[in-house]
Amino acid sequence: MKLYLVKEDEQVVWVAALAHETMYGYVPNTGMFHDNNALRNDFYLERHFTYQEIGSAEARRLIADGVDAFDETEDDEALSEWRADEKALDPTEVLSMTAGFNP
């Protein structure tokens, strides 16, 4: 599993984890990583965002204070889906899987 800082221009938009061609994005509102097919498609095909590999310490710092929460009104549909996601990944597990990785 690899971790990425995902930016649009200079704005941090995601902390992401890539595992076996599945991209997970950290959602501050739920406190979990969720499968994000649109982010996966961007990573492999579109490249509207920039992706910088990061280590678990940097990801932990960004999760703690570097990623803005989604707007509860504007993003209510996506947030409802993420809150119902039974396959979400706990950040502790994701970060422990990548703890020895320092890009």
Side-chain angles (χ1 to χ4, degrees), residues 1 18-24 40 44:
M1 183 175 292
L18 180 64
H20 309 291
E21 295 189 12
T22 300
M23 184 70 81
Y24 298 88
R40 177 200 177 278
Y44 284 111

Side-chain angles (χ1 to χ4, degrees), residues 7 21 26 28 32 45 54 58 68:
K7 291 183 177 181
E21 295 189 12
Y26 176 75
M32 303 290 273
L45 303 169
I54 58 175
E58 178 68 2
D68 292 335

Side-chain angles (χ1 to χ4, degrees), residues 78-89:
L79 288 167
S80 291
E81 288 180 29
W82 287 324
R83 287 188 174 111
D85 182 4
E86 294 181 10
K87 295 181 180 180
L89 303 177

Side-chain angles (χ1 to χ4, degrees), residues 34-99:
H34 299 276
D35 186 346
N36 189 319
N37 196 52
L39 193 58
R40 177 200 177 278
N41 289 344
D42 187 74
F43 181 78
Y44 284 111
L45 303 169
E46 299 163 1
R47 288 294 178 151
H48 295 293
F49 299 132
T50 58
Y51 296 81
Q52 175 188 345
E53 272 189 78
I54 58 175
S56 60
E58 178 68 2
R60 184 173 279 105
R61 185 191 69 73
L62 289 162
I63 286 169
D65 59 28
V67 182
D68 292 335
F70 289 86
D71 183 281
E72 291 287 340
T73 303
E74 185 176 313
D75 301 311
D76 63 328
E77 287 182 38
L79 288 167
S80 291
E81 288 180 29
W82 287 324
R83 287 188 174 111
D85 182 4
E86 294 181 10
K87 295 181 180 180
L89 303 177
D90 186 286
T92 305
E93 294 173 22
V94 171
L95 297 176
S96 69
M97 286 187 262
T98 61

